[in-house]
Amino acid sequence: MANESATITVMKMAARKASIRLKRDYGEVGHLLISKKGPGDFVTAADVRTEKILREELGKARPDFGFLMEESGEIRGNDYNRRWIVDPIDGTTNFIHGLAHFSICIALEEYGQVTAGLIFDPINEELFWAEKGTGAYLNDQRVRVSSQQNLKNSIFATGIPFGNNLSKIEQNDFLQKMQGVMSASAGIRRFGSASLDLAYVAAGRFEGYWENKLNLWDIAAGILIVREAGGIVTDLYGKDYMATNGSIIAANPSLHKPLLDLVKLKV
Ligand code: 2AM
Ligand code: CA
């Protein structure tokens, strides 16, 4: 059983409270899928409501901390050095389509460093969490990255660009990189939630994961959880600027470099 701080207890309670309504809302999406209007507006409301519950719960427990939240943006607290980084639904597109693969993400950043992270998949009741220096956990069990050393036996997750969020040149570059990984590995998965992709790397389910154009709230908790599970996380240039350039690669220590060699960004 893990020894956890008061902070992580606060985070877990907030996530569990927010998840009760969120699960009910997810149940509604099923009905709305076949309605003319579709579930889009309803899901936006669910997103905002979940964020509000998280803000209230975290704010009650730590009144001075600030927030960076997907829906509300930056909210300064009295304590300038501590803030919660929150994504109320990571995997919103899955949620909208009635696909049961999304999470609530909470990270605590202190003096610019994430010191605690939580990723909660409320449908599967999987709560991934870590605190700096004390390891990574799935519910009450310690998790570690996979020990696989060969690319050819490995599966990797990624996020395939959608709509026009990449230029044609970037799209082609991505396709070329996918081709490299698909030839070298046992396969690629695209599950649609950056946080759960990172959580699954931490739990050894995926050997690695890479994606570009993400926001800090998608990855803040996951970076800590993967590192505490013994994995390596960098940006797609092999550096530590995930928060500023929004690119990320996470893998077990044996496969981080081989995967990076296949998917590295040049410019
Ligand atoms: P979201 O569900 O919170 O939007 C899917 O590839 C991953 O990309 C998800 O974790 C998703 O988070 C994230 N993402 C970041 N920016 C996005 C955007 N503008 N539209 C859709 N997904 C986005
Ligand atoms: Ca997200």
Side-chain angles (χ1 to χ4, degrees), residues 35-130:
S35 77
K36 257 220 175 90
K37 195 159 163 266
D41 291 346
F42 174 81
V43 173
T44 306
D47 221 343
V48 170
R49 206 157 39 225
T50 307
E51 188 166 292
K52 187 163 169 279
I53 297 170
L54 293 168
R55 186 176 167 192
E56 280 166 8
E57 292 303 308
L58 296 168
K60 252 191 268 171
R62 299 285 186 272
D64 288 340
F65 292 10
F67 288 92
L68 173 68
M69 310 185 94
E70 177 162 23
E71 304 299 327
S72 319
E74 178 90 51
I75 300 158
R76 291 303 282 265
N78 291 329
D79 183 344
Y80 276 26
N81 297 310
R82 291 184 176 80
R83 62 177 181 171
W84 300 109
I85 302 172
V86 173
D87 192 347
I89 309 177
D90 182 52
T92 321
T93 307
N94 283 344
F95 192 100
I96 290 175
H97 288 261
L99 297 166
H101 189 78
F102 54 86
S103 82
I104 292 171
C105 299
I106 307 171
L108 174 62
E109 189 190 69
E110 301 184 88
Y111 295 88
Q113 298 264 319
V114 173
T115 54
L118 171 156
I119 299 168
F120 182 36
D121 167 354
I123 304 296
N124 294 301
E125 279 288 331
E126 288 196 321
L127 199 154
F128 301 87
W129 59 279

Side-chain angles (χ1 to χ4, degrees), residues 18-267:
S19 75
I20 297 167
R21 178 67 193 260
L22 187 63
K23 269 165 73 168
R24 222 188 318 145
D25 288 341
Y26 178 69
E28 275 301 301
V29 168
H31 307 296
L32 294 169
L33 283 174
I34 49 169
S35 77
K36 257 220 175 90
K37 195 159 163 266
D41 291 346
F42 174 81
V43 173
T44 306
D47 221 343
V48 170
R49 206 157 39 225
T50 307
E51 188 166 292
K52 187 163 169 279
I53 297 170
L54 293 168
R55 186 176 167 192
E56 280 166 8
E57 292 303 308
L58 296 168
K60 252 191 268 171
R62 299 285 186 272
D64 288 340
F65 292 10
F67 288 92
L68 173 68
M69 310 185 94
E70 177 162 23
E71 304 299 327
S72 319
E74 178 90 51
I75 300 158
R76 291 303 282 265
N78 291 329
D79 183 344
Y80 276 26
N81 297 310
R82 291 184 176 80
R83 62 177 181 171
W84 300 109
I85 302 172
V86 173
D87 192 347
I89 309 177
D90 182 52
T92 321
T93 307
N94 283 344
F95 192 100
I96 290 175
H97 288 261
L99 297 166
H101 189 78
F102 54 86
S103 82
I104 292 171
C105 299
I106 307 171
L108 174 62
E109 189 190 69
E110 301 184 88
Y111 295 88
Q113 298 264 319
V114 173
T115 54
L118 171 156
I119 299 168
F120 182 36
D121 167 354
I123 304 296
N124 294 301
E125 279 288 331
E126 288 196 321
L127 199 154
F128 301 87
W129 59 279
E131 292 187 88
K132 206 169 167 60
T134 61
Y137 295 83
L138 163 51
N139 298 328
D140 289 332
Q141 298 293 315
R142 184 87 189 250
V143 290
R144 287 199 61 81
V145 293
S146 107
S147 51
Q148 181 56 247
Q149 298 185 357
N150 292 320
L151 280 175
K152 70 173 177 17
N153 298 327
S154 301
I155 54 171
F156 297 105
T158 190
I160 300 174
F162 48 86
N164 58 3
N165 77 337
L166 289 189
S167 69
K168 276 279 172 289
I169 293 171
E170 289 172 318
Q171 283 179 12
N172 286 331
D173 183 56
F174 177 80
L175 287 174
Q176 250 176 25
K177 285 173 172 139
M178 276 240 297
Q179 205 166 31
V181 177
M182 72 196 227
S183 313
S185 71
I188 299 176
R189 300 290 183 270
R190 199 289 189 247
F191 284 6
S193 160
S195 60
L196 288 174
D197 288 338
L198 287 165
Y200 285 14
V201 172
R205 295 174 182 172
F206 296 141
E207 272 68 36
Y209 157 70
W210 86 100
E211 188 163 352
N212 197 0
K213 309 265 165 161
L214 294 168
N215 294 296
L216 185 53
W217 46 77
D218 304 316
I219 55 176
I223 293 170
L224 178 68
I225 294 171
V226 171
R227 285 179 172 163
E228 287 295 324
I232 297 181
V233 185
T234 65
D235 64 20
L236 287 172
Y237 304 92
K239 302 273 194 294
D240 199 19
Y241 300 120
M242 297 78 72
T244 30
N245 65 40
S247 77
I248 190 163
I249 168 171
N252 76 25
S254 309
L255 295 173
H256 179 271
K257 187 173 181 307
L259 181 62
L260 181 62
D261 287 343
L262 292 168
V263 300
K264 198 168 187 157
L265 293 175
K266 300 285 177 320
V267 276

